[in-house]
């Protein structure tokens, strides 16, 4: 090895290679910056890099055989016999090939982007087919891939995410083609898949990729739009601007996408795209940070605390920032939905600001619909408000999501299923969309189709644990099959156990210690209240014949619940009313329990909800715990009419329901009758 390095230095190969590489890098940097200014195709840059790479191998070979570092290019004469000269030739070729491979690897990201990386992956036996999807399999549309964060400060990753999300927001109102949602494209960050493969998986004709580099008050955004059917770049641009220009950059990118895909851009659409209400970059920074956090899979109010603080700070900087007020409606509404009643005023005040600042904006209607759904739980009002926006924002998945959920709670199954299926088309890689459709199918009465769909979807998401559980739970509810239920329950992630699991189904936890650990993991995840653990312990002692222990734990649960509710119960959330009823009944506080039950039932009568949720079961438990078996049985009968209401198999397999109703004549008659 020492002899080789000595020979390389003697022949000036190292010096020539470094000089060539440095000069080539400088040429590439200049070309990458200058070419987009003159609207020169990025294909020219690719060709330039390929030529430089070829020139590199030629230069290294010449450097080995000729002394090109001096004025006299005399051929090096190898000392020794011909075999030595043959060895020199071999070394020269191998060295040149190795350096060439290194050069291409370092420069290939510019020349080929993801395609350059994935070409090698496609040649492996496990890689997917290189051929693009047939044209009939793709619809006209675009998948905007996550923008690569090239900033030296990694904390600027939120900025790249925010720019990406804002481009998608600008495209939400495009009626002429489909826009794939952010949750489905984020999995392709850093992917080695080729563009045609990504397009085929997402079912759209075009893909955009790019990068963001931010340094203090400067930002550079580079994007490429690719026709996946032809595997050909059709537009590219490199924006090198000040940070205050980021709004114009995002708008221009969205407009260029529309123009290049559909061929024209009407004046109305041009104006609508990128209409922003702030020029305060510091406030916008905070807004992007909040969005990057609040658009995650939110299943508790705790997750919303940080984005709430960020949005409030952004609005202190710019009180006229309409988009931030809309986001505040969504965040505070989510807080109320997840039982933080004190944030109701925050949501209402934010909505009023949106009404004042942007009365004609479609975002105002979106805020109205979200408020009606999450704060008022007026699903009829939410459905009508949001449905009026659908034609104007056909690619807005948040809008479509709330339309589907509202229709489902109203029992408008056809409209709910239509919305859920469209969500899957816009968001094909989000497993939660498939959960929603499977549940909606079952709630509409097509439980067998729901089971089949959940099982089929599980193969698409092998790491998802909810889809197998949904299929298994539906089979248990409608056929009594418990063979796979316990395993599916144990596999549920901690953060979803309160939403989906029932710890009292026969055979799931033969040992209470296992049940206790399973519940404790859910509480530690931050998605379940400590009250969950207390109630499980109280119920265990009740079923085990220890009524005094059960009552003592019931009083502890009631004390925990009192901390959560305010003095004005009529303004309390429906879930808190149900929990107050059941904990008061467990504690022997009959008067309080009955008042909470009455308020709960009044709310249900005012705002009917066709989806079966735990709050109804909590009320049924409270009625039975108070000894009102006739009323509890009437509640059960009414719940059977709802989507996913308790079935006969729930009565047979749920140890708590069996404990309450055992010996009650209507229950015993149902248990001995044949099951259809």
């Amino acid at each position: 090895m020492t002899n080789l390095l000595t020979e390389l230095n003697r022949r000036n190969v190292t010096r020539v290679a470094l000089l060539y590489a440095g000069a080539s890098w400088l040429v590439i940097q200049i070309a990458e910056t200058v070419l987009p200014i003159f609207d020169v195709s990025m294909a020219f840059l690719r060709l330039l890099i390929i030529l430089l790479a070829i020139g590199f191998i030629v230069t290294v070979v010449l450097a080995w055989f000729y002394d090109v570092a001096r004025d006299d290019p005399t051929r090096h004469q190898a000392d020794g016999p011909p075999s030595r000269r043959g060895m020199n030739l071999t070394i020269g070729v191998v060295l040149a090939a190795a350096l060439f491979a290194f050069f291409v690897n370092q420069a290939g990201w510019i020349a080929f982007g993801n395609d350059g990386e994935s070409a090698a992956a496609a040649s492996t036996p496990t890689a997917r087919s290189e051929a693009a999807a047939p044209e009939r399999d793709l619809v006209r549309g675009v998948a905007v891939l996550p923008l690569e964060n090239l900033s030296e400060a990694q904390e600027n990753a939120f900025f790249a995410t925010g720019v990406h999300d804002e481009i998608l927001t600008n495209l939400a109102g495009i009626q002429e083609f489909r826009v794939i949602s952010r949750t489905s494209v984020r999995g392709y960050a850093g992917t080695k898949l080729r563009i045609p493969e990504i397009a085929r998986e997402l079912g759209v004709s075009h893909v955009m990729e790019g990068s963001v580099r931010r340094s203090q008050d400067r930002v550079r955004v580079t994007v490429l739009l690719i026709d996946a059917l032809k595997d050909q770049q059709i537009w590219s641009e490199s924006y090198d601007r000040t940070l205050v220009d980021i709004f114009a950059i995002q708008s221009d990118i969205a407009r260029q996408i529309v123009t290049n895909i559909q061929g024209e851009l009407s004046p109305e659409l041009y104006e609508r795209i990128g209409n922003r209400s702030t020029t305060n970059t510091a406030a916008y920074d905070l807004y992007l940070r909040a969005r990057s956090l609040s658009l995650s899979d939110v299943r508790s109010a705790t997750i919303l605390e940080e984005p709430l603080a960020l949005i409030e700070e952004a609005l202190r900087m710019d009180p006229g920032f309409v988009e931030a007020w809309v986001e505040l409606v969504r965040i505070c509404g989510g807080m109320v939905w997840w039982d933080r009643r004190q944030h109701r005023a925050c949501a209402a005040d934010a909505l009023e600001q949106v009404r004042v600042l942007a009365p004609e904006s479609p975002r105002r209607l979106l805020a109205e619909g979200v408020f009606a759904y999450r704060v008022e739980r007026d699903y009829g009002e939410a459905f009508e408000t949001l449905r009026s926006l659908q034609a104007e924002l056909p690619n807005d998945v948040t809008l479509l999501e709330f339309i589907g959920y509202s229709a489902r709670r109203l029992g408008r199954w056809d409209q709910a299923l239509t919305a859920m299926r469209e969500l899957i088309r816009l968001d094909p890689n989000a497993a939660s969309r498939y959960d929603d459709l499977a549940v909606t199918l079952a709630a509409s009465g097509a439980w067998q189709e729901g089971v089949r769909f959940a099982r089929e979807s599980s193969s698409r998401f092998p790491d998802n644990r909810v889809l197998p559980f949904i299929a298994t739970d539906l089979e248990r509810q409608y056929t009594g099959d418990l063979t796979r239920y316990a395993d599916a329950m144990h596999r549920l992630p901690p953060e979803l156990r309160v939403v989906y699991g029932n710890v009292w189904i026969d055979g799931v936890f033969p040992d209470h210690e296992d049940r206790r650990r399973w519940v404790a993991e859910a509480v530690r995840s931050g998605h379940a209240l400590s009250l969950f653990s207390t109630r499980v312990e109280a119920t265990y002692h009740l079923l085990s014949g220890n009524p005094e222990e059960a009552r003592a734990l019931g009083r502890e649960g009631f004390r925990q619940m009192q901390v959560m509710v305010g003095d004005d119960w009529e303004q309390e959330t429906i879930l808190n009313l149900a929990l107050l009823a059941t904990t008061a009944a467990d504690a022997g506080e009959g008067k309080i329990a009955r008042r909470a039950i009455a308020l709960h039932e009044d709310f249900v009568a005012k705002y009917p909800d066709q989806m079966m949720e735990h709050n109804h079961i909590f009320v049924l438990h409270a009625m039975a715990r108070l000894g009102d078996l006739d009323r509890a049985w009437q509640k059960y009968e009414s719940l059977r009419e709802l989507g996913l209401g308790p079935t006969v198999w729930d009565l047979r397999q749920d140890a708590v329901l069996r404990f309450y109703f055992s010996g009650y004549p209507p229950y015993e008659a149902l248990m001995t009758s044949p099951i259809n």
Side-chain angles (χ1 to χ4, degrees), residues 151-375:
S151 306
E152 293 182 5
Q154 284 305 305
E155 60 266 26
N156 282 328
F158 81 91
F159 186 77
T161 301
V163 172
H164 174 250
D165 186 60
E166 289 300 291
I167 292 171
L168 292 176
T169 299
N170 285 335
L171 294 172
I174 304 303
Q175 300 174 349
E176 290 76 11
F177 56 82
R178 184 181 300 173
V179 180
I180 300 299
S181 83
R182 63 182 295 275
T183 51
S184 280
V185 298
R186 66 186 176 190
Y188 294 102
T191 182
K192 294 186 180 299
L193 289 177
R194 297 181 68 251
I195 292 299
E197 293 174 302
I198 295 173
R200 182 168 60 249
E201 289 187 358
L202 296 174
V204 289
S205 58
H206 294 76
V207 175
M208 194 202 86
E209 59 181 351
S211 62
V212 175
R213 185 190 299 275
R214 178 179 175 180
S215 179
Q216 296 180 346
D217 66 340
R218 299 291 301 181
V219 62
R220 184 178 189 180
V221 182
T222 303
V223 290
L224 300 91
L225 182 64
I226 299 159
D227 184 335
L229 293 170
K230 300 175 182 177
D231 196 10
Q232 180 179 6
Q233 177 187 308
I234 60 173
W235 171 74
S236 66
E237 188 62 87
S238 183
Y239 303 87
D240 197 346
R241 311 271 183 87
T242 60
L243 186 59
V244 74
D245 292 324
I246 190 61
F247 309 107
I249 293 172
Q250 292 166 169
S251 301
D252 188 61
I253 290 173
R255 289 164 181 154
Q256 291 291 344
I257 289 172
V258 176
T259 301
N260 281 277
I261 292 179
Q262 75 178 40
E264 61 181 11
L265 187 63
S266 67
E268 294 80 14
L269 192 55
Y270 182 94
E271 183 65 27
R272 196 187 335 154
I273 289 178
N275 184 17
R276 285 280 156 210
S277 60
T278 187
T279 56
N280 187 316
T281 55
Y284 187 65
D285 240 20
L286 293 168
Y287 168 78
L288 292 183
R289 288 180 187 271
R291 289 275 292 176
S292 69
L293 294 170
S294 66
L295 289 176
S296 61
D297 189 15
V298 176
R299 294 182 183 273
S300 76
T302 304
I303 297 176
L304 293 171
E305 290 173 355
E306 185 177 355
L308 174 60
L310 292 169
I311 282 293
E312 288 178 335
E313 180 61 25
L315 286 167
R316 277 191 285 272
M317 292 181 175
D318 185 357
F321 193 173
V322 175
E323 289 78 17
W325 285 114
V326 173
E327 186 67 10
L328 189 60
V329 173
R330 203 175 66 83
I331 291 173
C332 289
M335 288 283 203
V336 175
W337 181 264
W338 293 105
D339 304 307
R340 297 276 184 92
R341 182 183 63 88
Q342 64 270 30
H343 289 85
R344 179 187 179 92
C346 159
D349 291 345
L351 178 59
E352 188 58 34
Q353 288 294 326
V354 176
R355 289 168 175 164
V356 171
L357 293 171
E360 303 302 321
S361 169
R363 296 292 160 186
R364 192 267 302 173
L365 285 177
L366 180 60
E368 298 271 10
V370 171
F371 185 86
Y373 186 96
R374 283 189 162 169
V375 179

Side-chain angles (χ1 to χ4, degrees), residues 552-597:
L553 286 164
R555 284 193 289 270
E556 172 59 20
F558 179 58
R559 184 193 64 77
Q560 292 173 333
M561 192 63 217
Q562 284 180 304
V563 174
M564 296 170 54
V565 298
D567 296 328
D568 187 1
W569 290 1
E570 292 187 1
Q571 298 300 316
E572 198 53 75
T573 65
I574 187 171
L575 177 58
N576 276 354
L577 288 172
L579 286 171
L580 181 61
T582 194
T583 55
D586 287 342
E589 299 286 347
K591 184 177 180 181
I592 294 175
R594 287 185 172 86
R595 183 185 171 205
I597 290 171

Side-chain angles (χ1 to χ4, degrees), residues 292-533:
S292 69
L293 294 170
S294 66
L295 289 176
S296 61
D297 189 15
V298 176
R299 294 182 183 273
S300 76
T302 304
I303 297 176
L304 293 171
E305 290 173 355
E306 185 177 355
L308 174 60
L310 292 169
I311 282 293
E312 288 178 335
E313 180 61 25
L315 286 167
R316 277 191 285 272
M317 292 181 175
D318 185 357
F321 193 173
V322 175
E323 289 78 17
W325 285 114
V326 173
E327 186 67 10
L328 189 60
V329 173
R330 203 175 66 83
I331 291 173
C332 289
M335 288 283 203
V336 175
W337 181 264
W338 293 105
D339 304 307
R340 297 276 184 92
R341 182 183 63 88
Q342 64 270 30
H343 289 85
R344 179 187 179 92
C346 159
D349 291 345
L351 178 59
E352 188 58 34
Q353 288 294 326
V354 176
R355 289 168 175 164
V356 171
L357 293 171
E360 303 302 321
S361 169
R363 296 292 160 186
R364 192 267 302 173
L365 285 177
L366 180 60
E368 298 271 10
V370 171
F371 185 86
Y373 186 96
R374 283 189 162 169
V375 179
E376 299 289 353
R377 297 196 183 228
D378 187 341
Y379 307 121
E381 177 66 22
F383 179 77
E384 295 302 331
T385 300
L386 297 171
R387 190 175 61 164
S388 68
L389 264 180
Q390 192 171 1
E392 196 167 353
L393 298 173
N395 287 301
D396 191 312
V397 292
T398 300
L399 172 67
L400 198 58
E401 182 179 67
F402 277 104
I403 289 174
Y405 289 166
S406 299
R408 188 168 71 176
R409 292 182 180 280
L410 293 168
R412 301 179 182 181
W413 305 117
D414 289 344
Q415 291 164 313
L417 290 169
T418 298
M420 300 294 177
R421 291 187 172 109
E422 182 59 24
L423 272 171
I424 287 177
R425 284 189 281 270
L426 293 177
D427 203 1
N429 286 349
S432 61
R433 307 301 183 196
Y434 297 76
D435 301 348
D436 285 336
L437 181 54
V439 168
T440 306
L441 284 166
S444 69
W447 71 267
Q448 292 169 311
E449 188 178 349
V451 169
R452 183 169 57 253
F453 179 77
R455 294 261 183 244
E456 291 171 354
S457 301
S458 296
S459 62
R460 181 182 178 93
F461 304 99
D463 296 330
N464 180 275
R465 300 177 184 181
V466 175
L467 284 164
F469 177 80
I470 288 174
T472 301
D473 192 34
L474 289 173
E475 288 177 327
R476 179 198 65 77
Q477 283 186 294
Y478 290 96
T479 69
D481 184 359
L482 280 170
T483 54
R484 291 183 285 190
Y485 186 79
D487 182 62
M489 266 273 289
H490 285 285
R491 290 176 180 272
L492 280 173
E495 65 271 17
L496 298 179
R497 291 176 180 177
V498 177
V499 178
Y500 291 101
N502 183 346
V503 299
W504 301 110
I505 296 297
D506 291 339
V508 176
F509 293 105
D511 185 343
H512 182 60
E513 282 302 316
D514 291 338
R515 181 186 292 112
R516 184 178 284 138
R517 282 193 294 271
W518 190 87
V519 170
E521 288 173 4
V523 173
R524 282 197 300 271
S525 74
H527 292 77
L529 301 170
S530 58
L531 175 63
F532 180 34
S533 179

